[in-house]
């Protein structure tokens, strides 16, 4: 019981901390430039967060089980290419989306196959699928420029044009998906088992959990929602670009770690990851608004990741141990 | 795990698992080489082959550090960022001081030797940061080194303003990468061979080398038997950062420009070649030889794909498939041996 109390204390501390970080970032940027809290910028931030939210939240579930997926950026890129190709072929939005989601699901299942059945370490297995999906995306897009342009004009209606309160449909879809993932994590067997596997894989197996199946499902979920992120990206930018997801694996990891999810697995929170994603997008957008050159981004991201990791292990040490 | 136990086994297996994997991967390399020579026109050509060797210099140099760390069971993903840091800082330090020129065209005007030393010190500082977080704060090595990768590339991007430093470089800046000794064998290749020899000696003939394997095989046992695990791992991270810095200087010299995008994806490539050659991710098993063999297998495949007229993107597909195939084949071979 005492341990449980400590864990819930940790949860409270992490929630306050992550919201505090987001709040202070918003405050600082708003003080520097009023434009930052203007409606256009807020809409822009939320719109841009859609792919990262989809990827980040599903990766959280996977990381709670102690696994890692580096292929998400590749899946986002390949999905944007496939979606664009399908649209140009004129098969309609619904079928294009279904085909793309099926493809994402397949890559997720392949990741699961490599990790679970072939027992390849997640880092290496998903590194291979990352290489495969970016390579495939590049092969499918026109040689030279590598971008698929000239999509139908309506494509932006999903993730760019305002639908309700100036926010696009994709944003509301994301809210539903995130809500679903939160319920999965907190209320379902899948979420509980995921935490059990991350906490102690052998113990989980011995207590009768089908760890292989669970991990496989988690990889499939990540693949599916990453490709939904790719569709949103293609719709937002109105183009198919195999490299559009470059670095998303890193962003997802930063958001997850910022949200206090343990990178060795066992505990974490999908909801806090959403705050982590918003912190990252606010940082990037804020730097843009106050006119800092984009080449500062990499440094800032690196420092945020190192900072988040340190806070994480300090909180863990101080409260749990 | 298996490495030293095997040498105690007398009759039935005369060679250790490591030697076995090394020999098999050398065999694969030979097969790939012969196949490429037969299938790809103009592949078996002295210029092409010496080119191939020269192209692998940078990845092998930084592969040495990554291999040693993998043997201890630790990852170093920061090498890609350190390559760009080394490239840009070395350019910035020795660019001529020109009053009135734009920021990017004017540097600190140091001598080349001094510039190299300071650059390598900067790179080693990143290694110190890695070591601090992994050994003292005890955080996961993949996550933290991804952070320092972004950090060091970030510093490089700021110094080069997201582009490159190219004007006003002294003439000796391009010598390492461009001055050729025989054919296309340049100074970089000689540096690579020199570093490889040192690495092989460290790996096989020194107590430090043996300690690395023990740490990887069982960190707790290593600690209990009196090895200063934390010190050794810190040392390895600093070495790895140093080698990545060397690779960065070499690469910048080859292009004669301090470009901040140099080394993009090298953290993954370094991992790919070491694993391809047979080093185990789980630690305790592997060799610098593995990295060299892996680099050449991948190099030959990429060159062949290119020379056969496929799109460059095909290389990424090849990379993906080869790595999965290699790991499965190695596991299969080792499993067979145990029976």
């Amino acid at each position: 019981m005492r341990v449980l109390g400590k864990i819930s204390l940790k949860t409270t501390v992490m929630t306050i901390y992550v919201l505090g970080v987001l709040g202070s970032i918003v405050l600082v940027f708003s003080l520097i430039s009023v434009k930052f809290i203007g409606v256009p910028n807020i809409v822009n931030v939320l719109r841009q967060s859609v792919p990262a939210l989809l990827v980040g939240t599903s990766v959280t579930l996977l990381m709670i089980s102690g696994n890692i997926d580096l292929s998400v950026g590749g899946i986002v890129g390949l999905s944007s290419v496939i979606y664009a190709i399908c649209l140009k072929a004129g098969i309609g939005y619904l079928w294009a989306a279904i085909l793309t989601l099926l493809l994402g699901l397949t890559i997720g299942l392949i990741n699961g196959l490599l990790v679970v059945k072939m027992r390849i370490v997640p880092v290496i297995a998903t590194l291979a699928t990352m290489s495969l999906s970016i390579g495939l995306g590049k092969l499918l897009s026109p040689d030279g420029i590598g971008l698929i342009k000239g999509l139908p004009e309506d494509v932006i209606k999903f993730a760019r044009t305002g639908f309700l309160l100036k926010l696009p449909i994709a944003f509301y879809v994301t809210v539903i998906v995130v809500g679903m993932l939160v319920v999965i994590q907190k209320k379902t067997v899948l979420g509980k088992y995921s935490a059990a596997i991350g906490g102690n894989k052998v113990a989980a197996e011995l207590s009768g959990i089908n760890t292989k199946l669970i991990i496989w499902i988690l990889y499939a979920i990540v693949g599916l929602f990453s490709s939904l992120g790719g569709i949103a990206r293609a719709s937002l930018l109105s183009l198919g670009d195999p490299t559009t997801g470059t670095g998303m694996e890193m962003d997802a990891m930063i958001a997850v770690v910022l949200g206090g999810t343990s990178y060795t697995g066992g505990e974490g929170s999908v909801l806090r990851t959403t705050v982590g994603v918003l912190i990252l997008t606010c940082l990037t957008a804020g730097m843009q608004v106050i006119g800092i050159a984009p080449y500062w981004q990499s440094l800032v991201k690196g420092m945020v990741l190192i900072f988040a990791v340190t806070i994480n292990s300090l909180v863990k040490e101080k409260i749990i141990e | 795990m298996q490495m030293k136990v095997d040498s105690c086994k007398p009759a039935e297996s005369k060679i250790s698992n490591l030697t076995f994997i090394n020999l098999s991967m050398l065999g694969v390399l030979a097969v790939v080489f012969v196949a490429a020579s037969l299938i790809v026109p103009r592949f078996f050509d002295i210029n092409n082959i010496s080119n191939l060797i020269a192209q692998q210099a940078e990845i092998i140099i930084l592969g040495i550090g990554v291999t040693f760390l993998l043997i201890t069971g630790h990852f170093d993903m920061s090498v890609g960022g350190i390559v760009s840091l080394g490239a840009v800082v070395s350019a910035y330090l020795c660019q001529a001081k020109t009053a009135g020129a734009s920021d990017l065209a004017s540097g600190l005007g140091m001598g080349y030797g001094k510039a190299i030393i300071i650059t390598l010190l900067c790179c080693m500082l990143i290694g110190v940061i890695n070591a601090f977080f992994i050994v003292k704060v005890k955080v996961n090595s993949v996550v933290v080194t991804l952070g320092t990768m972004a950090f060091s590339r970030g510093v490089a991007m700021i110094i080069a303003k997201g582009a490159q430093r190219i004007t006003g470089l002294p003439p000796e800046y391009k010598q390492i990468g461009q001055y050729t000794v025989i054919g296309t064998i340049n100074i970089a290749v000689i540096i690579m061979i020199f570093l490889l020899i040192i690495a092989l000696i460290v790996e096989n003939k020194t107590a430090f080398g043996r300690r690395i394997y023990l740490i990887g095989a069982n960190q707790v046992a290593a600690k209990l038997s009196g090895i200063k695990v934390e010190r050794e791992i810190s040392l390895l991270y600093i070495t790895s950062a140093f080698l990545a810095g060397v690779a960065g200087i070499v690469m910048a010299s080859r292009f004669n420009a301090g470009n901040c995008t140099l080394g993009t994806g090298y953290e993954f490539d370094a991992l790919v070649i070491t694993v391809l050659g047979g080093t185990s991710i789980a630690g305790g098993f592997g060799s610098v030889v593995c990295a060299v063999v892996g680099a050449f297998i991948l190099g030959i495949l990429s060159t062949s794909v290119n020379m056969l007229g496929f799109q460059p993107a095909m290389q990424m597909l090849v990379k993906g498939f080869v790595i999965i195939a290699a790991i499965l084949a190695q596991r299969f071979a080792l499993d067979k041996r145990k029976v």
Side-chain angles (χ1 to χ4, degrees):
Chain A
M1 269 299 88
R2 280 193 58 152
V3 175
L4 277 180
K6 281 181 179 174
I7 289 178
S8 75
L9 175 62
K10 189 196 165 186
T11 314
T12 326
V13 170
M14 286 311 294
T15 312
I16 295 171
Y17 141 77
V18 77
L19 283 173
V21 171
L22 179 62
S24 25
I25 287 173
V26 172
L27 188 70
V28 167
F29 280 125
S30 325
L31 286 180
I32 299 176
S33 162
V34 197
K35 265 193 271 173
F36 187 77
I37 37 169
V39 174
N41 188 55
I42 292 176
V43 169
N44 192 29
V45 165
L46 292 178
R47 222 162 48 182
Q48 275 179 4
S49 316
V50 165
L53 278 174
L54 290 167
V55 172
T57 46
S58 45
V59 164
T60 309
L61 268 189
L62 183 70
M63 278 178 85
I64 292 178
S65 77
N67 286 280
I68 208 169
D69 192 342
L70 295 177
S71 68
V72 286
I75 300 179
V76 168
L78 179 60
S79 301
S80 83
V81 169
I82 299 288
Y83 186 59
I85 288 178
C86 288
L87 285 186
K88 286 197 100 172
I91 60 168
Y93 290 102
L94 185 64
W95 282 108
I98 290 175
L99 277 178
T100 314
L101 291 176
L102 277 179
L103 176 96
L105 187 66
T106 316
I107 301 180
L109 288 173
I110 294 175
N111 279 334
L113 179 83
L114 293 176
V115 171
V116 168
K117 283 279 165 199
M118 302 190 175
R119 305 195 320 279
I120 301 179
V121 192
V123 177
I124 298 294
T126 55
L127 188 63
T129 44
M130 169 178 94
S131 200
L132 287 176
S133 32
I134 297 182
L136 191 60
K138 282 189 173 169
L139 279 184
L140 290 173
S141 42
D143 208 3
I145 46 165
L147 302 175
I148 303 179
K149 292 182 184 167
L151 303 186
E153 277 181 7
D154 284 348
V155 71
I156 57 168
K157 275 193 179 156
F158 178 59
R160 192 171 190 91
T161 331
F163 168 69
L164 185 70
L165 296 171
K166 294 196 175 172
L167 291 166
I169 304 172
F171 178 76
Y172 296 100
V173 173
T174 307
V175 171
I176 294 170
V177 169
V178 171
M180 241 165 62
L181 289 172
V182 171
V183 172
I184 288 181
Q185 184 221 326
K186 295 199 165 161
K187 299 284 172 204
T188 67
V189 184
L190 185 60
K192 300 291 173 201
Y193 284 179
S194 165
I197 295 170
N200 188 334
K201 197 176 175 193
V202 180
E205 214 154 291
L206 288 176
S207 51
I209 298 175
N210 189 346
T211 55
K212 292 186 170 177
L213 181 70
I214 300 288
I215 294 176
W216 210 330
I217 294 174
L218 292 175
Y219 271 107
I221 291 178
V222 172
L224 181 71
F225 291 135
S226 300
S227 70
L228 185 57
I231 294 177
R233 203 35 100 67
S235 158
L236 181 68
L237 305 174
S238 170
L239 46 84
D241 176 2
T243 59
T244 189
T246 313
M248 274 192 90
E249 61 282 349
M250 172 108 174
D251 291 359
M253 201 181 296
I254 300 177
V256 172
V257 176
L258 262 178
T261 297
S262 153
Y263 33 74
T264 44
E267 49 176 328
S269 154
V270 171
L271 214 48
R272 281 198 308 253
T273 299
T274 57
V275 186
V277 170
L278 288 178
I279 291 177
L280 265 190
T281 349
C282 280
L283 265 180
T284 344
M287 282 163 60
Q288 227 165 27
V289 168
I290 63 174
I292 295 176
Y295 52 73
W296 279 83
Q297 277 177 18
S298 178
L299 180 89
V300 172
K301 275 185 189 168
M303 283 167 67
V304 169
L305 181 54
I306 298 173
F307 166 80
V309 158
T310 316
I311 294 282
N312 248 1
S313 68
L314 285 183
V315 169
K316 201 174 177 184
E317 236 167 61
K318 285 274 176 308
I319 295 179
I320 303 281
E321 274 123 40
Chain B
M1 308 157 263
Q2 301 97 334
M3 26 113 3
K4 275 285 117 176
V5 185
D6 278 3
S7 52
C8 313
K9 250 196 269 171
E12 69 265 15
S13 67
K14 289 201 178 64
I15 55 173
S16 71
N17 276 338
L18 183 56
T19 324
F20 170 70
I21 285 289
N22 274 343
L23 287 177
S24 352
M25 289 322 284
L26 268 175
V28 172
L29 175 61
V31 171
V32 170
F33 181 77
V34 172
S37 310
L38 291 177
I39 298 168
V40 184
R42 296 190 313 279
F43 180 87
F44 194 76
D45 173 280
I46 185 68
N47 278 327
N48 186 42
I49 290 168
S50 70
N51 242 334
L52 191 71
I53 296 174
Q55 277 164 6
Q56 309 309 319
E58 292 128 14
I59 193 77
I60 289 179
I61 291 175
L62 66 87
I64 296 173
V66 173
T67 304
F68 277 141
L69 275 169
L70 266 190
I71 294 176
T72 68
H74 289 77
F75 286 88
D76 190 354
M77 310 291 260
S78 65
V79 286
I82 298 177
V83 166
S84 64
L85 184 70
V88 172
V89 170
S90 67
Y92 176 60
L93 291 178
C94 62
Q95 263 182 327
K97 251 189 213 159
T98 357
S102 71
D103 282 352
L104 270 182
S106 170
L108 294 183
M110 283 182 195
Y112 190 51
K114 204 171 152 193
I116 283 188
I117 292 172
I118 296 180
T119 308
L120 290 176
L121 285 177
C122 289
C123 294
M124 283 158 81
L125 194 65
I126 303 286
V128 173
I129 299 176
N130 283 337
F132 171 77
F133 279 99
I134 289 158
V135 169
K136 289 282 170 211
V137 192
K138 295 202 169 47
V139 290
N140 179 289
S141 62
V142 177
V143 181
V144 121
T145 53
L146 273 176
T148 48
M149 186 260 284
F151 176 80
S152 40
R153 165 148 300 126
V155 174
M157 288 178 99
I158 291 165
I159 298 178
K161 294 194 184 300
Q164 56 180 359
R165 291 188 163 267
I166 191 161
T167 40
L169 290 172
E172 59 268 30
Y173 191 76
K174 61 177 181 207
Q175 294 300 331
I176 295 180
Q178 293 184 0
Y179 180 81
T180 52
V181 187
I182 326 153
T184 53
I185 301 299
N186 51 21
I187 300 181
V189 176
I190 293 172
I191 295 179
M192 172 193 89
I193 294 172
F194 175 70
L195 289 172
L196 270 180
I197 293 173
I198 296 181
L200 280 174
I201 294 174
V202 170
E203 182 186 294
N204 294 305
K205 299 287 171 203
T206 65
F208 178 64
R210 295 291 94 190
R211 287 201 289 268
I212 294 174
Y213 282 97
L214 186 52
I215 293 173
N218 190 334
Q219 194 161 335
V220 180
K223 199 161 195 174
L224 290 177
S225 52
I227 295 177
K228 294 191 180 71
V229 176
E230 299 181 344
R231 199 191 63 187
E232 316 287 30
I233 289 174
S234 311
L235 209 57
L236 285 177
Y237 269 106
I238 297 169
T239 315
S240 176
F242 168 82
L243 290 170
V246 173
I249 292 172
V250 166
M251 210 168 179
S253 162
R254 180 154 64 90
F255 289 103
N256 197 19
N259 190 323
C260 67
T261 60
L262 289 181
T264 309
Y266 261 44
E267 56 280 359
F268 294 135
D269 286 352
L271 211 53
V272 169
I273 64 158
T274 41
V275 172
L276 189 57
T279 300
S280 154
I281 292 282
F285 189 84
S287 158
V288 173
V289 181
C290 297
V292 178
V293 174
F296 280 109
I297 294 180
L298 202 63
I300 292 175
L301 288 174
S302 302
T303 316
S304 313
V305 165
N306 252 351
M307 291 178 80
L308 286 172
F310 289 107
Q311 289 179 34
M314 202 65 179
Q315 288 177 10
M316 301 198 76
L317 286 184
V318 170
K319 211 190 277 177
F321 279 121
V322 163
I323 189 165
I324 295 174
I327 291 181
L328 292 181
Q330 284 160 12
R331 166 124 23 84
F332 181 72
L334 281 180
D335 282 353
K336 277 268 160 190
R337 248 172 91 81
K338 270 182 208 146
V339 179

